Amino acid sequence: MGRVLVTGAAGFIGAHLCQALLARGEEVVGLDNLNPYYDPALKEARLEALTGNAPPGAFRLHRIDLADTEALLAMMKSEPGIDRVAHLGAQAGVRWSLEAPFAYTAANVTGHLGILEGVRRSEGRIRHTVYASTSSVYGSRTDGPFRETDRVDRPASLYAATKAAGELMSKVYTDLYKLPLTGLRFFTVYGPWGRPDMAYWLFTDAMLKGRPIQLFNEGRMKRDFTFVGDIVAGVLAALDNPPADGGHRLYNIGNSRQEELLEMVSILEELLGVEAVRVLRPMQPGDVPATFADVSAMKRDFGWEPTTDLRTGLGHFVRWWRGHFG
């Protein structure tokens, strides 16, 4: 059995994926620059949690910026045991892309291209690469469910545009070099060890501290909330099944259920035993009103389907929060 390179290994989904790979006996090479987009201490804590249960030598981390192409390519060449890649590293966050646009082109365009080049230069040693895309590529829509065949040329944010660019570059590399690539469009991932910029985290923190919560679009946003455990199961299913023809594939990976942000707030109120003080705000630039995944292709090709409803998933998150923060 070879090794799996996981980019974004200290990130929310990346750390969960590393833990799942280690649990099934894989060796994992992690890559992360632990940037300060949010508190790096949380990223360090994720790494500590996943390495604490790993056998000696099963996990090692390279602290490299994806946009440092020379360092990235050198690392991929110096780790000859890597035979699969799970490329989850990216600059996330829709709203911050309005403030720091070049951080997004650096990580999501230059960084993604660096991974593709590293895979190409492996000359077939890396037999499959799964990479993270996003539901944001579908743009500002109120219909649904969204299907992989829908148009994605109307992004509502620079973040979405950079992730769509990654999909296009991947298709080009597959056509030119026959690289087996699978892109997964994640839909609003939540759960333990999550990201502090996400609504459920911000709401929980504010509610427990007696602060008001900000509800954009007056709380009428609809999201396909997807539990991180279901996401990881989908990534593993895709990683284990490379395209037979060496081609490029795209899949939605979501809960396939649309729920209002207000429903999330109501569930958190029950779980936390606190009533939220709600401040209704207008829609923010770059945000989209709704997401909704058609996941029939994931079910058809991998037998994967989500198993965690929003109430159960938020329950897992709240229990983790109380254990982590006290």
Side-chain angles (χ1 to χ4, degrees):
M1 184 177 289
R3 296 188 183 97
V4 183
L5 170 62
V6 178
T7 70
F12 170 33
I13 302 171
H16 278 278
L17 178 63
C18 288
Q19 197 158 44
L21 288 165
L22 292 167
R24 70 180 197 175
E26 300 264 21
E27 291 188 11
V28 177
V29 176
L31 181 147
D32 206 295
N33 68 346
L34 281 79
N35 74 20
Y37 169 61
Y38 57 83
D39 189 357
L42 177 62
K43 302 177 183 183
E44 296 278 10
R46 292 185 188 127
L47 290 171
E48 185 177 348
L50 76 90
T51 55
N53 297 320
F59 176 86
R60 59 179 170 273
L61 179 74
H62 293 271
R63 189 161 177 169
I64 293 172
D65 190 321
L66 277 171
D68 186 345
T69 305
E70 184 176 344
L72 174 63
L73 293 175
M75 183 278 295
M76 293 182 73
K77 183 179 180 179
S78 70
E79 290 276 5
I82 295 171
D83 65 357
R84 287 152 294 156
V85 175
H87 174 39
L88 307 184
Q91 179 56 63
V94 168
R95 291 172 192 157
W96 201 55
S97 67
L98 300 173
E99 302 175 30
F102 292 106
Y104 288 77
T105 55
N108 302 353
V109 179
T110 301
H112 189 86
L113 181 58
I115 290 292
L116 293 175
E117 261 301 295
V119 173
R120 181 185 73 83
R121 295 183 189 189
S122 78
E123 298 180 333
R125 170 174 51 86
I126 296 176
R127 52 189 171 85
H128 190 202
T129 300
V130 172
Y131 68 91
S133 188
T134 173
S135 62
S136 295
V137 299
Y138 290 109
S140 184
R141 293 171 51 178
T142 55
D143 62 336
F146 305 167
R147 296 177 175 84
E148 292 88 347
T149 53
D150 292 349
R151 64 187 301 174
V152 293
D153 59 347
R154 299 174 180 175
S157 66
L158 180 67
Y159 165 67
T162 61
K163 297 299 278 183
E167 293 183 0
L168 289 171
M169 288 189 293
S170 299
K171 179 64 166 62
V172 168
Y173 263 68
T174 288
D175 290 346
L176 289 176
Y177 307 116
K178 309 305 178 191
L179 303 186
L181 300 169
T182 301
L184 300 176
R185 292 170 175 167
F186 295 162
F187 281 69
T188 315
V189 189
Y190 72 98
W193 292 106
R195 280 187 11 226
D197 61 328
M198 298 293 285
Y200 66 97
W201 181 298
L202 293 168
F203 294 169
T204 298
D205 186 52
M207 290 164 66
L208 289 174
K209 293 177 180 175
R211 299 196 311 266
I213 64 172
Q214 310 290 317
L215 291 169
F216 296 103
N217 197 29
E218 300 183 341
R220 295 194 301 271
M221 306 266 239
K222 293 181 179 180
R223 291 289 183 268
D224 194 333
F225 297 108
T226 314
F227 186 64
V228 65
D230 290 332
I231 290 285
V232 168
V235 174
L236 291 174
L239 191 65
D240 292 344
N241 293 278
D245 59 356
H248 176 247
R249 309 174 299 186
L250 283 168
Y251 295 94
N252 291 333
I253 179 165
N255 203 42
S256 200
R257 180 173 176 177
Q258 203 176 49
E259 294 169 283
E260 276 199 350
L261 200 58
L262 290 171
E263 176 62 16
M264 170 180 275
V265 174
S266 296
I267 294 172
L268 284 173
E269 286 177 326
E270 293 177 27
L271 293 171
L272 298 172
V274 175
E275 185 173 346
V277 179
R278 308 175 189 207
V279 177
L280 304 183
R281 303 287 298 278
M283 180 80 88
Q284 293 293 286
D287 270 350
V288 297
T291 62
F292 188 9
D294 180 331
V295 297
S296 57
M298 283 287 294
K299 293 180 183 179
R300 179 195 67 221
D301 291 353
F302 307 125
W304 174 92
E305 57 185 328
T307 61
T308 311
D309 63 77
L310 182 59
R311 184 177 298 274
T312 300
L314 286 175
H316 290 313
F317 170 71
V318 168
R319 282 190 291 276
W320 170 81
W321 181 283
R322 294 190 189 283
H324 188 71
F325 292 108

